[in-house]
Amino acid sequence: MTPYIAIAFAVVLSACAQAPSDVSRSGIFDPYERQNRKVHRFNRNLDKALVKPASTVYGTILPTEIQDSVAHFSENLSLPGQVINNVLQGDVAGAGNNTARFLVNTVLGIGGMFDVASDFGMPIEKTGFGETLHVWGAKEGAYTELPFFGPSTQRDTAGIIVDIVLDPVALALPRPEKYITTGAYVAARFGQRHKYTATVDSILYESADSYAQARTLYLQNRRYELSGKDDETDLEAYDDPYDDF
């Protein structure tokens, strides 16, 4: 899929997001709940059988310092793509900050394994193509739970596709080096799953309805993140374990 096709596909997909004609009183538009619940069961079973055990081994065997270095390395690899999204959103300050952060951590942080930039007052300006579509006026659309990725919306699903297909680091690296980004991402997610195991377990295995709980937390957190750019919602912010996991 070429870059232009990927972007065009995402824009069309987000533009086709259904208008929330049947939004519940809680502000949730979930017309595909039956299918979403099936995917949620798959994700829950996958977590129980593979992700949680693997993250426990990962978090137990590796020292915290190494886990932090892997997380920093993965985050640093994501910065070029975030800079592109900063530019597409017209966020010049964010683009400058993330560019400087990438250069500092790559050079002084040994390829990004150490977060030197934060010590210099350059925190990461997290963003993605889902937020770019939001800035461009695309509606949230229906709630969607994706295999492996978890809670999302039609707009953010389109954003995920573009972020993966057009990842500048993966596109620039030859095989097999390009798979470093995927490996670092997966390893970092194992570290996050281990770090927030109590929170994730409380949602997936201790709540009366894990699907509804995860859906509410995701939507409230995501809408709060974007609330500075429009008045799509005024829901209160909640800590969302899926923000890192």
Side-chain angles (χ1 to χ4, degrees):
M1 183 180 292
T2 67
Y4 296 111
I5 293 177
I7 293 177
F9 173 76
V11 172
V12 170
L13 181 61
S14 62
C16 292
Q18 296 185 34
S21 58
D22 115 5
V23 178
S24 69
R25 294 183 62 184
S26 61
I28 294 174
F29 179 51
D30 189 3
Y32 310 119
E33 182 171 350
R34 179 177 297 180
Q35 298 94 315
N36 284 335
R37 283 186 176 274
K38 291 179 180 178
V39 176
H40 179 76
R41 283 194 296 271
F42 168 80
N43 287 336
R44 192 171 180 270
N45 291 334
L46 180 67
D47 179 81
K48 186 175 183 179
L50 176 61
V51 178
K52 182 180 178 180
S55 67
T56 299
V57 172
Y58 178 87
T60 302
I61 293 178
L62 293 182
T64 303
E65 294 78 11
I66 295 180
Q67 295 180 50
D68 290 342
S69 292
V70 171
H72 292 321
F73 180 68
S74 175
E75 182 182 80
N76 196 58
L77 289 176
S78 73
L79 282 172
Q82 297 194 55
V83 170
I84 292 175
N85 279 294
N86 288 138
V87 172
L88 291 175
Q89 295 163 22
D91 183 6
V92 178
N97 177 84
N98 281 342
T99 299
R101 180 181 174 85
F102 177 74
L103 294 175
V104 168
N105 280 347
T106 299
V107 176
L108 302 182
I110 312 179
M113 291 190 292
F114 299 96
D115 186 8
V116 180
S118 289
D119 297 333
F120 291 165
M122 292 180 285
I124 187 171
E125 299 280 348
K126 288 188 177 181
T127 188
F129 198 73
E131 183 172 346
T132 297
L133 290 171
H134 166 84
V135 173
W136 289 355
K139 297 302 181 182
E140 179 182 88
Y143 174 78
T144 306
E145 176 141 356
L146 303 174
F148 307 107
F149 290 94
S152 184
T153 61
Q154 286 180 307
R155 180 177 61 202
D156 282 338
T157 297
I160 289 172
I161 294 171
V162 171
D163 285 334
I164 292 175
V165 173
L166 302 186
D167 177 15
V169 174
L171 291 174
L173 291 175
R175 290 186 177 89
E177 288 84 356
K178 69 185 311 175
Y179 300 119
I180 292 175
T181 58
T182 302
Y185 175 84
V186 172
R189 297 293 75 77
F190 279 147
Q192 293 291 347
R193 176 62 176 90
H194 178 72
K195 182 178 180 180
Y196 297 107
T197 185
T199 303
V200 177
D201 284 354
S202 68
I203 296 172
L204 292 183
Y205 307 117
E206 298 171 17
S207 58
D209 186 345
S210 61
Y211 172 77
Q213 181 79 345
R215 178 183 61 188
T216 298
L217 289 174
Y218 175 81
L219 289 175
Q220 288 179 330
N221 183 74
R222 184 58 170 158
R223 290 168 178 177
Y224 181 79
E225 287 177 344
L226 302 175
S227 62
K229 294 186 172 66
D230 65 20
D231 57 357
E232 212 174 82
T233 182
D234 59 356
L235 292 176
E236 181 182 358
Y238 283 76
D239 289 331
D240 178 18
Y242 291 98
D243 183 47
D244 291 306
F245 171 50

